[in-house]
Amino acid sequence: MSSGWIAAVIFFLAGAAGSYALFRSWQRERRLRMQFLQGDRERASRRRRVFEVLHILGDSILQGQPDTTLHRQIAEGAVKVVESEGAALYLLDDKGLSLVPRHYTKECPALIALPERIVTQAKTNAGTLPSYLRLHSVAPGEGVLGNVVLSQKAENVPDLRHHEKFDGETNPFQQHVAALMAPLRHGGRPLGVLAVASDRTQPFSQHQLEMFIALAEQVGFTLGNAQAHHEAGAKRQLEAELSNAREIQSILLPEKAPEMPGFSIAARNVPARMVSGDYFDYVPVSQTHLAWPLLMSVARGSRRR
């Protein structure tokens, strides 16, 4: 009798242990499934935000918004997509010799080395750091940002201070800066760097990096299109101004040559392109004398015959 009870208890305990193990396994699978679904929703949300940002940028180009507006929308859009505290947009100057800060969002941590005097002043003056970040350019290869534009490779930086390319001293403004940085290019031509950053100990995820890279690729394409759009608009404006100048010049030139006995007089001004710097006129001096002033500010600007 006692051995039967012992067997029953052992059987019950074994069943309970098995049921508990199954329950724990079910809980673990459910938690993993919920995490996957949550991650999938977050990924879908980020993809949707990327499309929303690109739509805003496209509208700005079509509406002819100034570059400052486009740059601000790029930085703010990056913050929205990655859900970071701030973002910074650096673009190469015309000669490609330096990265110029085009927009820093208000809450973006500093991404470049800070001189000791700036750190000291920033402790008592809140405007020192933003002013320095807006005005200080970075050379290609200088610091982490310069390395990104030089290598043309995106980076997920868990802690800016510990990056091998960070050349700044420890300071209270860059204690735990996690950042994503990606090069911007169009048609194989480097344009600059887009970066997002947060003051936190947790690094950005791999999916955040992937979405950020996808956004940076589209931003590069957008900047290239914006430049082409501006150039086309400037060309149209120049052509219109030259056309007006040509009409004015044709009005100022004499319509026909005067008649003088014993002489056959003819002159014509034909601009090599739209306008020329040449001007002439007929000035009667007397019944037998005619002055013909000829002004040639650019000798090669027209053909005379």
Side-chain angles (χ1 to χ4, degrees):
M1 186 70 175
S2 60
S3 60
W5 275 104
I6 292 174
V9 169
I10 292 174
F11 179 78
F12 174 78
L13 292 176
S19 299
Y20 179 73
L22 289 173
F23 175 73
R24 290 297 301 272
S25 176
W26 175 82
Q27 275 191 324
R28 185 168 56 254
E29 290 180 2
R30 182 174 181 273
R31 184 171 61 254
L32 291 174
R33 186 167 60 253
M34 293 298 293
Q35 289 176 350
F36 175 80
L37 292 175
Q38 177 64 24
D40 191 55
R41 284 193 293 268
E42 290 178 357
R43 288 189 288 271
S45 177
R46 289 194 186 104
R47 286 192 292 268
R48 184 173 61 253
R49 292 196 292 269
V50 169
F51 290 125
E52 290 173 353
V53 171
L54 295 178
H55 179 72
I56 292 172
L57 298 181
D59 285 346
S60 290
I61 294 176
L62 292 176
Q63 294 169 9
Q65 296 288 349
D67 288 341
T68 53
T69 299
L70 185 65
H71 297 161
R72 174 181 57 79
Q73 291 173 337
I74 289 172
E76 292 176 351
V79 171
K80 183 178 180 181
V81 169
V82 184
E83 297 176 294
S84 62
E85 289 182 7
L89 174 66
Y90 283 78
L91 297 180
L92 287 167
D93 61 10
D94 294 337
K95 296 182 179 180
L97 299 179
S98 62
L99 284 166
V100 181
R102 296 304 183 185
H103 191 82
Y104 251 93
T105 61
K106 186 177 179 181
E107 302 300 328
C108 185
L111 298 171
I112 59 177
L114 301 177
E116 184 178 353
R117 62 179 180 81
I118 296 298
V119 172
T120 302
Q121 293 174 14
K123 291 177 181 179
T124 56
N125 187 344
T128 299
L129 189 55
S131 296
Y132 180 77
L133 296 177
R134 286 195 300 266
L135 298 174
H136 186 75
S137 298
V138 178
E142 178 187 348
V144 187
L145 282 170
N147 182 64
V148 169
V149 77
L150 198 63
S151 67
Q152 288 295 290
K153 293 181 179 179
E155 287 208 39
N156 187 347
V157 183
D159 192 331
L160 185 66
R161 297 173 304 166
H162 299 147
H163 193 283
E164 60 179 356
K165 294 294 183 179
F166 184 70
D167 51 0
E169 300 293 334
T170 301
N171 64 78
F173 301 103
Q174 295 173 306
Q175 289 296 318
H176 303 288
V177 178
L180 297 175
M181 302 181 186
L184 301 174
R185 49 183 170 261
H186 180 258
R189 180 171 62 93
L191 299 177
V193 176
L194 179 63
V196 293
S198 293
D199 189 1
R200 63 182 184 181
T201 56
Q202 182 180 2
F204 290 99
S205 68
Q206 180 63 27
H207 184 259
Q208 285 175 308
L209 174 62
E210 293 171 358
M211 285 292 98
F212 181 67
I213 292 175
L215 175 64
E217 290 174 350
Q218 295 302 317
V219 166
F221 184 74
T222 299
L223 288 171
N225 283 346
Q227 183 177 4
H229 185 79
H230 291 332
E231 290 175 353
K235 183 180 179 181
R236 288 193 298 269
Q237 182 178 358
L238 177 61
E239 289 175 347
E241 291 176 356
L242 288 174
S243 179
N244 292 335
R246 183 174 186 175
E247 291 181 8
I248 293 172
Q249 188 178 48
S250 65
I251 293 173
L252 294 175
L253 293 171
E255 294 183 2
K256 61 180 181 178
E259 295 182 0
M260 290 194 69
F263 292 91
S264 177
I265 302 173
R268 185 179 181 188
N269 182 295
V270 181
R273 293 180 176 84
M274 294 291 290
V275 294
S276 74
D278 296 349
Y279 174 79
F280 71 91
D281 200 358
Y282 304 107
V283 181
V285 178
S286 66
Q287 292 183 350
T288 58
H289 290 78
L290 176 69
W292 184 14
L294 177 62
L295 303 178
M296 301 191 333
S297 58
V298 181
R300 298 180 183 179
S302 65
R303 297 191 302 272
R304 291 169 297 281
R305 60 189 183 188

